Amino acid sequence: MKKNSKVLNHKFWLDLIMPNRCPVCGKVIVWNELVCNKCESNLPFLDKPFSVSEKIHNNSMNNACAVFEYKENAVKGIYNLKTRKGLNFAEYASKYLVKYLSENDIVSTIDCVAFVPMTKSKRRLRGYNQAERFAKFMARKLDKPLMNDLLLHISDSSEQHTLDYNQRQQNAETVFKSALNHSDIKGKSVLLCDDVITTGATMNKCAELLKSMGANSVYGTAICSTNLRKMSPKE
Ligand SMILES: [Zn+2]
């Protein structure tokens, strides 16, 4: 609680210098709000309880959930999050995800929080990994440690969003690796965070790696999920 009240205090003073804004439309909002009323009423929430596990092909996660379908206002929120203007969007989603995890008795089993990494060069260029920022909100709200260096993204050769389902599977196989020193997660339960679940190929691969590093279970959480049925492999 003390940590959260410190954060609120910080937001109050920050608002005096840099007014708080809606992460979807950019309108100035009250310092302790996260999204303006108009945008909030038009957010494409996924059907409760947000579980997308059954839609992911060959799912190696123990559970996967997201808050919004990746369309309309949620696309704007993610875009602004990527450009640093929409941090509130990640915080807003984390509030719902923590509630969902808590209602489904998952919170008590989580030991630490991790995120889908970016390549070092992209991270340096952008100065910012949106999945990491989202994971920070989750770790803070859950009061669990954030593990920064469990996974590596070793190549920018292909952007996942430009690939079809099968290419995404193959690409994820080659671009993610586990870090060398991974004794910290043996027998632990890891909450894995990303901004958007598209086919689930990226999160699946990261979950597989975390399990190969000794993690006992991996729970995937994302702010958005695409309509996964559209991306499924052809039957
Ligand atoms: Zn708005």
Side-chain angles (χ1 to χ4, degrees), residues 22-27 29 35-40:
C22 171
V24 178
C25 69
K27 190 179 114 180
I29 51 177
V35 179
C36 82
N37 291 340
K38 193 177 168 196
C39 292
E40 187 173 35

Side-chain angles (χ1 to χ4, degrees), residues 148-211:
N148 284 309
D149 50 4
L150 293 176
L151 300 168
L152 303 171
H153 190 162
I154 54 167
S155 162
D156 261 335
S157 57
S158 305
E159 289 278 3
Q160 283 286 83
H161 66 261
T162 63
L163 308 176
D164 69 19
Y165 182 90
N166 291 323
Q167 288 169 328
R168 279 169 188 258
Q169 304 287 326
Q170 286 160 12
N171 191 49
E173 277 302 315
T174 56
V175 302
F176 293 103
K177 293 275 177 276
S178 52
L180 284 177
N181 183 6
H182 48 70
S183 54
D184 288 352
I185 60 161
K186 282 210 170 84
K188 301 252 171 93
S189 180
V190 183
L191 185 81
L192 176 64
C193 301
D194 201 1
D195 53 343
V196 183
I197 297 178
T198 306
T199 60
T202 296
M203 283 193 113
N204 256 341
K205 181 61 196 173
C206 290
E208 259 178 53
L209 288 169
L210 291 169
K211 286 187 172 173

Side-chain angles (χ1 to χ4, degrees), residues 47-66:
D47 290 341
K48 285 180 180 175
F50 305 142
S51 177
V52 293
S53 295
E54 75 283 357
K55 296 178 184 169
I56 296 173
H57 192 61
N58 290 334
N59 193 358
S60 48
M61 289 173 276
N62 297 65
N63 186 304
C65 55

Side-chain angles (χ1 to χ4, degrees), residues 46 92 103 119 148 155 166 207 216 218 226:
L46 287 166
Y92 183 79
E103 286 170 355
T119 57
N148 284 309
S155 162
N166 291 323
N216 189 40
V218 178
T226 51

Side-chain angles (χ1 to χ4, degrees), residues 18-20 83 111 118 144 169:
M18 200 188 294
N20 191 27
T83 55
D111 296 301
M118 225 175 222
K144 308 283 180 187
Q169 304 287 326

Side-chain angles (χ1 to χ4, degrees), residues 115-153:
F115 53 89
V116 172
M118 225 175 222
T119 57
K120 276 187 182 169
S121 58
K122 196 168 173 185
R123 175 78 170 72
R124 209 177 301 124
L125 198 68
R126 193 181 280 185
Y128 183 86
N129 176 356
Q130 65 276 4
E132 181 180 350
R133 299 309 296 253
F134 166 51
K136 276 187 185 173
F137 284 117
M138 292 300 291
R140 189 192 295 155
K141 282 191 194 316
L142 295 168
D143 200 18
K144 308 283 180 187
L146 179 69
M147 311 293 276
N148 284 309
D149 50 4
L150 293 176
L151 300 168
L152 303 171
H153 190 162

